[in-house]
Coordinates of all heavy atoms in Angstrom, one line a residue:
M1249 N 1.4 26.3 34.4 CA 1.3 26.0 33.0 C -0.2 26.2 32.6 O -1.1 25.6 33.3 CB 1.7 24.6 32.8 CG 1.8 24.2 31.3 SD 2.3 22.5 31.0 CE 4.0 22.5 31.6
P1250 N -0.5 26.9 31.6 CA -1.9 27.1 31.1 C -2.5 25.8 30.7 O -1.8 24.9 30.2 CB -1.8 28.1 30.0 CG -0.4 28.6 30.0 CD 0.4 27.7 30.8
P1251 N -3.8 25.7 30.8 CA -4.5 24.4 30.5 C -4.4 24.1 29.0 O -4.2 22.9 28.7 CB -6.0 24.7 30.8 CG -6.0 25.8 31.7 CD -4.7 26.6 31.5
Q1252 N -4.4 25.1 28.1 CA -4.2 24.8 26.7 C -2.8 24.2 26.4 O -2.7 23.3 25.6 CB -4.4 26.1 25.9 CG -5.8 26.6 25.9 CD -5.9 27.6 27.0 OE1 -5.0 27.9 27.8 NE2 -7.1 28.2 27.1
L1253 N -1.8 24.7 27.1 CA -0.5 24.2 26.9 C -0.3 22.8 27.4 O 0.3 21.9 26.8 CB 0.5 25.1 27.5 CG 2.0 24.9 27.2 CD1 2.2 25.0 25.7 CD2 2.9 25.9 27.9
R1254 N -0.9 22.5 28.5 CA -0.9 21.1 29.1 C -1.6 20.1 28.1 O -1.1 19.1 27.9 CB -1.6 21.1 30.5 CG -1.4 19.8 31.2 CD -2.0 19.8 32.6 NE -1.5 20.9 33.3 CZ -2.2 21.7 34.1 NH1 -3.5 21.6 34.1 NH2 -1.7 22.7 34.7
W1255 N -2.8 20.6 27.6 CA -3.5 19.7 26.6 C -2.6 19.5 25.4 O -2.6 18.4 24.8 CB -4.8 20.4 26.3 CG -5.6 19.6 25.3 CD1 -6.4 18.6 25.6 CD2 -5.7 19.9 23.9 NE1 -7.0 18.1 24.4 CE2 -6.6 18.9 23.4 CE3 -5.1 20.8 23.0 CZ2 -6.9 18.8 22.0 CZ3 -5.5 20.7 21.7 CH2 -6.3 19.8 21.2
L1256 N -2.0 20.5 24.9 CA -1.1 20.4 23.7 C 0.1 19.5 24.0 O 0.5 18.7 23.1 CB -0.6 21.8 23.3 CG 0.3 21.9 22.0 CD1 -0.5 21.4 20.8 CD2 0.8 23.3 21.8
K1257 N 0.6 19.5 25.2 CA 1.7 18.7 25.6 C 1.3 17.2 25.5 O 2.0 16.3 25.0 CB 2.2 19.0 27.0 CG 3.3 18.2 27.5 CD 3.7 18.7 28.9 CE 4.2 17.5 29.7 NZ 4.5 17.9 31.1
W1258 N 0.1 16.9 26.1 CA -0.4 15.5 26.0 C -0.8 15.1 24.6 O -0.6 13.9 24.2 CB -1.6 15.4 26.9 CG -1.2 15.3 28.4 CD1 -1.4 16.3 29.3 CD2 -0.6 14.2 29.0 NE1 -0.9 15.8 30.5 CE2 -0.4 14.6 30.4 CE3 -0.2 12.9 28.6 CZ2 0.2 13.7 31.3 CZ3 0.3 12.1 29.5 CH2 0.5 12.5 30.9
L1259 N -1.3 16.0 23.8 CA -1.6 15.7 22.4 C -0.4 15.3 21.6 O -0.4 14.3 20.9 CB -2.3 16.9 21.8 CG -2.8 16.7 20.3 CD1 -3.8 15.6 20.3 CD2 -3.3 18.0 19.8
V1260 N 0.7 16.1 21.8 CA 1.9 15.8 21.1 C 2.5 14.5 21.6 O 3.0 13.7 20.7 CB 2.9 17.0 21.3 CG1 4.3 16.6 20.8 CG2 2.5 18.2 20.6
A1261 N 2.5 14.2 22.8 CA 3.0 12.9 23.4 C 2.2 11.8 22.8 O 2.7 10.7 22.4 CB 2.9 12.9 24.9
A1262 N 0.8 11.9 22.8 CA 0.0 10.8 22.3 C 0.2 10.6 20.8 O 0.3 9.4 20.3 CB -1.5 11.2 22.5
M1263 N 0.4 11.6 20.0 CA 0.8 11.5 18.6 C 2.1 10.8 18.4 O 2.3 10.0 17.5 CB 0.7 12.8 17.9 CG -0.7 13.4 17.8 SD -0.8 15.1 17.1 CE 0.1 14.9 15.6
G1264 N 3.1 11.1 19.2 CA 4.4 10.4 19.1 C 4.3 9.0 19.4 O 4.8 8.1 18.7
V1265 N 3.5 8.6 20.5 CA 3.3 7.2 20.8 C 2.6 6.5 19.7 O 2.9 5.4 19.3 CB 2.5 7.1 22.1 CG1 2.0 5.6 22.4 CG2 3.4 7.5 23.3
A1266 N 1.6 7.1 19.1 CA 0.8 6.5 18.0 C 1.7 6.3 16.8 O 1.6 5.3 16.1 CB -0.4 7.4 17.6
M1267 N 2.6 7.3 16.4 CA 3.5 7.1 15.3 C 4.5 6.0 15.5 O 4.7 5.2 14.6 CB 4.3 8.4 15.1 CG 3.5 9.5 14.4 SD 4.4 10.9 13.8 CE 5.9 11.0 14.7
I1268 N 5.0 5.8 16.8 CA 5.9 4.7 17.1 C 5.2 3.4 17.0 O 5.7 2.4 16.4 CB 6.5 4.9 18.5 CG1 7.5 6.1 18.4 CG2 7.3 3.7 18.9 CD1 8.0 6.6 19.8
A1269 N 4.0 3.3 17.5 CA 3.2 2.1 17.4 C 2.9 1.7 16.0 O 3.0 0.5 15.6 CB 1.9 2.2 18.2
C1270 N 2.5 2.7 15.1 CA 2.2 2.4 13.7 C 3.5 1.9 13.0 O 3.5 1.0 12.2 CB 1.7 3.6 13.0 SG 0.0 4.0 13.6
F1271 N 4.6 2.5 13.3 CA 5.9 2.1 12.7 C 6.2 0.7 13.1 O 6.6 -0.1 12.2 CB 7.0 3.0 13.1 CG 8.3 2.7 12.5 CD1 8.6 3.0 11.2 CD2 9.3 2.1 13.3 CE1 9.8 2.6 10.6 CE2 10.5 1.7 12.7 CZ 10.8 2.0 11.4
V1272 N 6.0 0.3 14.3 CA 6.3 -1.1 14.8 C 5.3 -2.0 14.1 O 5.8 -3.1 13.6 CB 6.1 -1.2 16.3 CG1 6.1 -2.6 16.8 CG2 7.3 -0.4 17.0
V1273 N 4.1 -1.7 14.0 CA 3.1 -2.6 13.2 C 3.5 -2.7 11.8 O 3.5 -3.8 11.2 CB 1.7 -2.0 13.4 CG1 0.7 -2.7 12.4 CG2 1.2 -2.1 14.8
L1274 N 3.9 -1.7 11.2 CA 4.4 -1.7 9.8 C 5.6 -2.6 9.6 O 5.7 -3.4 8.7 CB 4.7 -0.3 9.3 CG 5.2 -0.2 7.8 CD1 4.0 -0.6 6.9 CD2 5.6 1.2 7.5
M1275 N 6.6 -2.5 10.5 CA 7.7 -3.4 10.4 C 7.4 -4.9 10.6 O 7.9 -5.7 9.9 CB 8.8 -2.9 11.4 CG 9.5 -1.6 11.1 SD 10.4 -1.7 9.6 CE 9.4 -0.6 8.5
I1276 N 6.5 -5.1 11.6 CA 6.1 -6.5 11.8 C 5.3 -7.1 10.6 O 5.6 -8.2 10.2 CB 5.2 -6.6 13.1 CG1 6.0 -6.3 14.3 CG2 4.4 -7.9 13.1 CD1 5.2 -6.2 15.6
A1277 N 4.5 -6.3 10.0 CA 3.8 -6.7 8.8 C 4.8 -7.0 7.6 O 4.6 -7.9 6.8 CB 2.7 -5.7 8.3
L1278 N 5.8 -6.1 7.5 CA 6.8 -6.3 6.4 C 7.6 -7.6 6.7 O 7.8 -8.4 5.7 CB 7.7 -5.1 6.4 CG 8.7 -5.1 5.3 CD1 8.1 -5.0 3.9 CD2 9.6 -3.9 5.5
V1279 N 8.0 -7.9 7.9 CA 8.7 -9.1 8.2 C 7.9 -10.3 7.9 O 8.3 -11.3 7.3 CB 9.2 -9.0 9.6 CG1 9.7 -10.4 10.1 CG2 10.3 -8.0 9.8
I1280 N 6.6 -10.3 8.3 CA 5.7 -11.4 8.1 C 5.5 -11.6 6.6 O 5.6 -12.8 6.1 CB 4.4 -11.2 8.8 CG1 4.5 -11.3 10.3 CG2 3.3 -12.2 8.3 CD1 3.3 -10.9 11.1
R1281 N 5.4 -10.6 5.8 CA 5.1 -10.7 4.4 C 6.4 -11.2 3.7 O 6.3 -12.1 2.8 CB 4.7 -9.4 3.8 CG 4.5 -9.4 2.3 CD 3.3 -10.2 1.9 NE 3.1 -10.1 0.5 CZ 3.2 -11.2 -0.3 NH1 3.4 -12.4 0.2 NH2 3.0 -11.0 -1.6
L1282 N 7.5 -10.8 4.1 CA 8.8 -11.2 3.4 C 9.2 -12.6 3.8 O 9.9 -13.3 3.0 CB 9.9 -10.2 3.7 CG 9.8 -8.8 3.1 CD1 10.9 -8.0 3.6 CD2 9.7 -8.9 1.6
N1283 N 8.7 -13.1 4.9 CA 9.0 -14.5 5.3 C 8.0 -15.5 4.8 O 8.2 -16.7 5.1 CB 9.2 -14.6 6.8 CG 10.5 -13.9 7.3 OD1 11.5 -13.9 6.5 ND2 10.5 -13.4 8.5
A1284 N 6.9 -15.0 4.2 CA 5.9 -15.9 3.7 C 6.4 -16.8 2.6 O 7.2 -16.4 1.8 CB 4.7 -15.1 3.3
D1285 N 5.8 -18.0 2.5 CA 6.2 -18.9 1.4 C 5.7 -18.3 0.1 O 4.6 -17.7 0.0 CB 5.5 -20.3 1.6 CG 6.1 -21.0 2.7 OD1 7.3 -20.7 3.0 OD2 5.4 -21.8 3.4
P1286 N 6.4 -18.5 -1.0 CA 5.9 -18.0 -2.3 C 4.7 -18.7 -2.7 O 4.4 -19.8 -2.4 CB 7.1 -18.2 -3.3 CG 7.9 -19.3 -2.6 CD 7.7 -19.2 -1.1
L1287 N 3.9 -18.0 -3.5 CA 2.6 -18.6 -4.0 C 2.9 -19.7 -5.0 O 3.8 -19.5 -5.9 CB 1.7 -17.5 -4.7 CG 1.2 -16.4 -3.7 CD1 0.5 -15.4 -4.5 CD2 0.3 -17.0 -2.7
P1288 N 2.2 -20.8 -4.9 CA 2.5 -21.9 -5.9 C 1.9 -21.5 -7.3 O 1.0 -20.7 -7.4 CB 1.7 -23.1 -5.3 CG 0.7 -22.4 -4.5 CD 1.2 -21.1 -3.9
L1289 N 2.4 -22.2 -8.3 CA 1.8 -22.0 -9.6 C 0.4 -22.5 -9.7 O 0.1 -23.5 -9.0 CB 2.7 -22.7 -10.6 CG 4.1 -22.2 -10.9 CD1 4.8 -23.1 -11.9 CD2 4.0 -20.8 -11.5
P1290 N -0.4 -22.0 -10.5 CA -1.8 -22.5 -10.7 C -1.7 -24.0 -11.1 O -0.8 -24.4 -11.9 CB -2.4 -21.6 -11.7 CG -1.6 -20.4 -11.7 CD -0.2 -20.8 -11.3
E1291 N -2.6 -24.8 -10.7 CA -2.7 -26.2 -11.0 C -2.7 -26.5 -12.5 O -2.2 -27.5 -13.0 CB -3.8 -26.9 -10.3 CG -3.7 -26.9 -8.8 CD -2.5 -27.7 -8.3 OE1 -2.2 -28.7 -8.9 OE2 -1.9 -27.2 -7.3
R1292 N -3.4 -25.6 -13.3 CA -3.5 -25.9 -14.7 C -2.3 -25.6 -15.6 O -2.3 -25.9 -16.7 CB -4.7 -25.1 -15.3 CG -4.6 -23.6 -15.1 CD -5.8 -22.9 -15.6 NE -5.8 -21.6 -14.9 CZ -6.9 -20.9 -15.0 NH1 -7.9 -21.2 -15.6 NH2 -6.9 -19.7 -14.3
I1293 N -1.2 -25.1 -15.0 CA 0.0 -24.9 -15.7 C 0.9 -26.0 -15.5 O 1.3 -26.3 -14.3 CB 0.7 -23.5 -15.3 CG1 -0.2 -22.4 -15.7 CG2 2.0 -23.4 -15.9 CD1 0.4 -21.0 -15.3
S1294 N 1.3 -26.7 -16.6 CA 2.3 -27.8 -16.4 C 3.5 -27.3 -17.2 O 3.5 -27.0 -18.4 CB 1.7 -29.1 -17.0 OG 1.4 -28.9 -18.4
L1295 N 4.7 -27.3 -16.5 CA 5.9 -26.9 -17.1 C 6.5 -28.1 -17.9 O 6.3 -29.2 -17.6 CB 6.9 -26.5 -16.1 CG 6.5 -25.2 -15.3 CD1 7.5 -25.0 -14.2 CD2 6.4 -24.0 -16.2
P1296 N 7.3 -27.8 -19.0 CA 8.0 -28.8 -19.7 C 8.9 -29.6 -18.8 O 9.3 -29.1 -17.7 CB 8.8 -28.1 -20.8 CG 8.1 -26.8 -20.9 CD 7.5 -26.5 -19.6
D1297 N 9.2 -30.9 -19.2 CA 10.1 -31.7 -18.4 C 11.4 -31.1 -18.1 O 12.0 -30.5 -19.1 CB 10.2 -33.1 -19.0 CG 9.0 -33.9 -19.0 OD1 8.1 -33.6 -18.1 OD2 8.8 -34.8 -19.9
G1298 N 11.9 -31.1 -16.9 CA 13.2 -30.6 -16.6 C 13.2 -29.1 -16.3 O 14.2 -28.6 -15.9
E1299 N 12.1 -28.4 -16.4 CA 12.0 -27.0 -16.2 C 11.5 -26.8 -14.7 O 10.6 -27.5 -14.3 CB 11.1 -26.3 -17.1 CG 11.5 -26.4 -18.6 CD 12.5 -25.4 -19.0 OE1 12.8 -24.5 -18.2 OE2 13.0 -25.5 -20.1
S1300 N 12.0 -25.8 -14.1 CA 11.4 -25.4 -12.8 C 11.2 -23.9 -12.8 O 12.0 -23.2 -13.4 CB 12.3 -25.8 -11.6 OG 13.6 -25.3 -11.7
A1301 N 10.2 -23.4 -12.1 CA 9.8 -22.0 -12.1 C 10.7 -21.2 -11.2 O 11.1 -21.6 -10.1 CB 8.4 -21.9 -11.7
R1302 N 11.2 -20.1 -11.7 CA 11.9 -19.1 -10.9 C 11.0 -17.9 -10.5 O 11.2 -17.4 -9.5 CB 13.1 -18.6 -11.7 CG 14.0 -17.7 -10.9 CD 15.1 -17.1 -11.7 NE 16.0 -18.2 -12.2 CZ 16.9 -18.0 -13.1 NH1 17.1 -16.9 -13.7 NH2 17.7 -19.0 -13.4
A1303 N 10.1 -17.5 -11.5 CA 9.2 -16.4 -11.2 C 7.9 -16.6 -11.9 O 7.9 -17.4 -12.9 CB 9.9 -15.1 -11.7
F1304 N 6.9 -16.0 -11.4 CA 5.5 -16.1 -12.0 C 4.9 -14.8 -12.0 O 5.0 -14.0 -11.0 CB 4.7 -17.1 -11.1 CG 3.3 -17.2 -11.5 CD1 2.9 -17.8 -12.6 CD2 2.4 -16.6 -10.7 CE1 1.5 -17.9 -12.9 CE2 1.0 -16.6 -11.0 CZ 0.6 -17.3 -12.1
T1305 N 4.2 -14.4 -13.1 CA 3.4 -13.2 -13.1 C 2.2 -13.5 -14.0 O 2.1 -14.5 -14.7 CB 4.2 -12.0 -13.7 OG1 3.5 -10.8 -13.5 CG2 4.5 -12.2 -15.1
Q1306 N 1.2 -12.6 -13.9 CA 0.0 -12.8 -14.7 C -0.6 -11.5 -15.2 O -0.4 -10.4 -14.6 CB -1.0 -13.5 -13.9 CG -1.3 -12.9 -12.5 CD -2.2 -13.8 -11.7 OE1 -3.1 -14.5 -12.2 NE2 -2.1 -13.7 -10.4
G1307 N -1.2 -11.6 -16.3 CA -1.9 -10.4 -16.9 C -3.4 -10.7 -17.0 O -3.9 -11.6 -16.3
S1308 N -4.1 -9.9 -17.8 CA -5.6 -10.0 -17.8 C -6.0 -11.4 -18.5 O -7.0 -12.0 -18.0 CB -6.2 -8.9 -18.6 OG -5.7 -8.8 -19.9
D1309 N -5.3 -11.8 -19.5 CA -5.7 -13.1 -20.1 C -4.5 -14.0 -20.3 O -4.5 -14.9 -21.2 CB -6.3 -12.8 -21.5 CG -5.4 -12.1 -22.5 OD1 -4.4 -11.6 -22.0 OD2 -5.7 -12.1 -23.7
W1310 N -3.4 -13.9 -19.5 CA -2.2 -14.7 -19.7 C -1.5 -14.9 -18.3 O -1.7 -14.1 -17.4 CB -1.3 -14.2 -20.7 CG -0.9 -12.8 -20.4 CD1 -1.5 -11.7 -20.9 CD2 0.2 -12.3 -19.6 NE1 -0.9 -10.5 -20.4 CE2 0.2 -10.9 -19.6 CE3 1.2 -12.9 -18.9 CZ2 1.1 -10.1 -19.0 CZ3 2.1 -12.2 -18.2 CH2 2.1 -10.8 -18.3
F1311 N -0.7 -16.0 -18.2 CA 0.2 -16.2 -17.1 C 1.6 -16.3 -17.8 O 1.7 -16.8 -18.9 CB 0.0 -17.6 -16.5 CG -1.3 -17.7 -15.8 CD1 -2.3 -18.5 -16.3 CD2 -1.6 -17.1 -14.6 CE1 -3.5 -18.7 -15.6 CE2 -2.8 -17.3 -13.9 CZ -3.7 -18.1 -14.4
A1312 N 2.6 -15.9 -17.1 CA 4.0 -16.0 -17.5 C 4.8 -16.7 -16.4 O 4.7 -16.3 -15.3 CB 4.6 -14.7 -17.9
V1313 N 5.7 -17.6 -16.8 CA 6.5 -18.3 -15.9 C 8.0 -18.2 -16.4 O 8.2 -18.5 -17.6 CB 6.2 -19.8 -15.8 CG1 7.1 -20.5 -14.9 CG2 4.7 -20.0 -15.3
V1314 N 8.9 -17.7 -15.6 CA 10.3 -17.6 -15.9 C 10.9 -18.9 -15.3 O 10.7 -19.1 -14.2 CB 11.0 -16.3 -15.3 CG1 12.4 -16.3 -15.7 CG2 10.2 -15.1 -15.9
T1315 N 11.6 -19.6 -16.2 CA 12.2 -20.9 -15.8 C 13.7 -20.7 -15.4 O 14.3 -19.7 -15.8 CB 12.0 -22.0 -16.8 OG1 12.8 -21.6 -18.0 CG2 10.6 -22.1 -17.2
D1316 N 14.2 -21.8 -14.8 CA 15.7 -21.8 -14.5 C 16.5 -21.8 -15.7 O 17.7 -21.4 -15.7 CB 16.0 -22.9 -13.6 CG 15.5 -22.7 -12.2 OD1 15.3 -21.6 -11.8 OD2 15.3 -23.7 -11.4
A1317 N 16.0 -22.2 -16.8 CA 16.7 -22.3 -18.1 C 16.7 -21.0 -18.8 O 16.9 -20.9 -20.0 CB 16.2 -23.5 -19.0
D1318 N 16.3 -19.9 -18.2 CA 16.2 -18.6 -18.8 C 15.3 -18.5 -20.0 O 15.6 -18.0 -21.0 CB 17.6 -18.0 -19.1 CG 18.4 -17.7 -17.9 OD1 17.8 -17.3 -16.9 OD2 19.6 -17.7 -18.0
R1319 N 14.1 -19.1 -19.8 CA 13.0 -19.0 -20.8 C 11.8 -18.4 -20.1 O 11.5 -18.7 -18.9 CB 12.7 -20.4 -21.3 CG 13.8 -21.0 -22.1 CD 13.6 -22.4 -22.6 NE 12.2 -22.6 -23.0 CZ 11.7 -23.9 -23.2 NH1 12.4 -24.9 -22.9 NH2 10.5 -24.0 -23.6
I1320 N 11.0 -17.7 -20.9 CA 9.7 -17.2 -20.4 C 8.6 -17.9 -21.1 O 8.6 -17.9 -22.4 CB 9.6 -15.7 -20.6 CG1 10.7 -14.9 -19.9 CG2 8.2 -15.2 -20.2 CD1 10.7 -13.4 -20.3
L1321 N 7.8 -18.6 -20.4 CA 6.7 -19.4 -21.0 C 5.4 -18.6 -20.7 O 5.1 -18.4 -19.5 CB 6.7 -20.8 -20.3 CG 8.0 -21.6 -20.4 CD1 7.8 -22.9 -19.6 CD2 8.3 -21.9 -21.8
I1322 N 4.7 -18.3 -21.8 CA 3.5 -17.5 -21.6 C 2.3 -18.4 -21.9 O 2.3 -19.0 -23.0 CB 3.5 -16.3 -22.5 CG1 4.7 -15.4 -22.2 CG2 2.2 -15.5 -22.4 CD1 4.9 -14.3 -23.2
Y1323 N 1.4 -18.5 -21.0 CA 0.2 -19.4 -21.1 C -1.1 -18.7 -21.2 O -1.2 -17.6 -20.7 CB 0.1 -20.3 -19.9 CG 1.2 -21.3 -19.7 CD1 2.4 -21.0 -19.1 CD2 1.1 -22.6 -20.2 CE1 3.4 -21.9 -18.9 CE2 2.1 -23.5 -20.1 CZ 3.3 -23.1 -19.4 OH 4.3 -24.1 -19.3
N1324 N -2.0 -19.2 -21.9 CA -3.4 -18.7 -22.0 C -4.1 -18.9 -20.7 O -4.1 -20.0 -20.2 CB -4.1 -19.4 -23.2 CG -5.4 -18.7 -23.5 OD1 -6.0 -18.1 -22.6 ND2 -5.9 -18.8 -24.7
R1325 N -4.7 -17.9 -20.1 CA -5.3 -18.0 -18.9 C -6.6 -18.9 -18.9 O -6.8 -19.7 -18.0 CB -5.7 -16.6 -18.3 CG -6.4 -16.6 -17.0 CD -7.0 -15.3 -16.6 NE -6.0 -14.4 -16.2 CZ -5.5 -14.3 -15.0 NH1 -5.9 -15.0 -14.0 NH2 -4.6 -13.4 -14.7
A1326 N -7.3 -18.8 -20.0 CA -8.6 -19.5 -20.1 C -8.4 -21.0 -20.3 O -9.0 -21.8 -19.7 CB -9.4 -18.9 -21.3
T1327 N -7.4 -21.4 -21.2 CA -7.3 -22.8 -21.5 C -6.1 -23.4 -20.8 O -6.0 -24.6 -20.6 CB -7.1 -23.0 -23.0 OG1 -5.9 -22.3 -23.4 CG2 -8.3 -22.4 -23.8
G1328 N -5.1 -22.6 -20.4 CA -3.9 -23.1 -19.7 C -2.9 -23.7 -20.7 O -1.9 -24.3 -20.4
S1329 N -3.1 -23.4 -22.0 CA -2.2 -23.9 -23.0 C -1.1 -22.9 -23.2 O -1.2 -21.7 -23.0 CB -3.0 -24.1 -24.4 OG -3.5 -22.9 -24.8
L1330 N 0.1 -23.4 -23.7 CA 1.2 -22.6 -23.9 C 1.0 -21.7 -25.1 O 0.7 -22.2 -26.2 CB 2.5 -23.5 -24.1 CG 3.8 -22.8 -24.3 CD1 4.2 -22.0 -23.0 CD2 4.9 -23.8 -24.6
R1331 N 1.1 -20.4 -24.9 CA 0.8 -19.5 -26.0 C 2.1 -19.1 -26.7 O 2.2 -18.9 -27.9 CB 0.2 -18.2 -25.4 CG -0.2 -17.2 -26.5 CD -0.7 -15.9 -25.9 NE -1.9 -16.0 -25.2 CZ -2.6 -14.9 -24.7 NH1 -2.0 -13.7 -24.8 NH2 -3.7 -15.0 -24.1
Q1332 N 3.2 -18.8 -25.9 CA 4.4 -18.3 -26.5 C 5.6 -18.7 -25.6 O 5.5 -18.8 -24.4 CB 4.3 -16.8 -26.7 CG 5.5 -16.1 -27.3 CD 5.3 -14.6 -27.4 OE1 4.3 -14.1 -27.0 NE2 6.3 -13.9 -28.0
T1333 N 6.8 -18.9 -26.2 CA 8.0 -19.1 -25.5 C 9.0 -18.0 -25.9 O 9.2 -17.8 -27.1 CB 8.6 -20.5 -25.8 OG1 7.6 -21.4 -25.4 CG2 9.8 -20.7 -25.0
V1334 N 9.7 -17.4 -24.9 CA 10.7 -16.3 -25.2 C 12.0 -16.8 -24.6 O 12.0 -17.1 -23.4 CB 10.2 -15.0 -24.6 CG1 11.3 -13.9 -24.9 CG2 8.9 -14.6 -25.1
E1335 N 13.0 -16.8 -25.4 CA 14.4 -17.2 -24.9 C 15.1 -15.9 -24.4 O 15.1 -14.9 -25.0 CB 15.2 -17.8 -26.0 CG 14.7 -19.1 -26.5 CD 14.8 -20.3 -25.6 OE1 15.8 -20.2 -24.8 OE2 14.0 -21.2 -25.6
I1336 N 15.6 -16.0 -23.2 CA 16.4 -14.9 -22.6 C 17.9 -15.1 -22.9 O 18.4 -16.1 -22.6 CB 16.1 -14.7 -21.1 CG1 14.6 -14.6 -20.9 CG2 16.9 -13.6 -20.5 CD1 14.3 -14.6 -19.4
E1337 N 18.5 -14.1 -23.5 CA 19.9 -14.3 -23.8 C 20.8 -13.5 -22.8 O 20.5 -12.5 -22.3 CB 20.2 -13.7 -25.2 CG 19.5 -14.6 -26.2 CD 19.8 -14.1 -27.6 OE1 20.7 -13.2 -27.8 OE2 19.1 -14.5 -28.6

């Protein structure tokens, strides 16, 4: 077997091992991320009585909380005050 072909054989084998290792690392990272606890709401946001958060998102100057009562509560990021309430039908 020519030396160039032997080198190519080892290169292809090493690349295959590297791809398999990267795939395993990616799957482990995905499992760890999906099993992580959800991020808590910021301390300055207080939900109305009887409401619990189902989802949370944020923009450049606002926070939004989707509640179990199918309402979206939009808060001002700077002051933490309730800016708008949207009812989901």
Side-chain angles (χ1 to χ4, degrees):
M1249 187 180 296
Q1252 294 90 358
L1253 191 58
R1254 187 175 309 132
W1255 180 79
L1256 184 61
K1257 178 180 152 185
W1258 282 106
L1259 181 64
V1260 170
M1263 288 175 54
V1265 168
M1267 284 190 340
I1268 291 170
C1270 289
F1271 181 74
V1272 169
V1273 168
L1274 181 65
M1275 290 298 111
I1276 290 171
L1278 185 62
V1279 167
I1280 289 171
R1281 177 67 178 119
L1282 291 177
N1283 287 333
D1285 291 332
L1287 295 174
L1289 290 175
E1291 294 296 323
R1292 60 183 155 193
I1293 294 179
S1294 59
L1295 296 175
D1297 291 335
E1299 299 276 353
S1300 60
R1302 183 183 299 166
F1304 170 77
T1305 189
Q1306 53 187 329
S1308 60
D1309 64 342
W1310 54 270
F1311 296 108
V1313 178
V1314 179
T1315 66
D1316 286 335
D1318 289 333
R1319 292 173 43 193
I1320 302 173
L1321 307 173
I1322 301 172
Y1323 292 88
N1324 188 333
R1325 180 187 287 272
T1327 63
S1329 62
L1330 184 62
R1331 183 191 289 184
Q1332 182 180 1
T1333 302
V1334 179
E1335 297 288 332
I1336 302 172
E1337 295 181 11

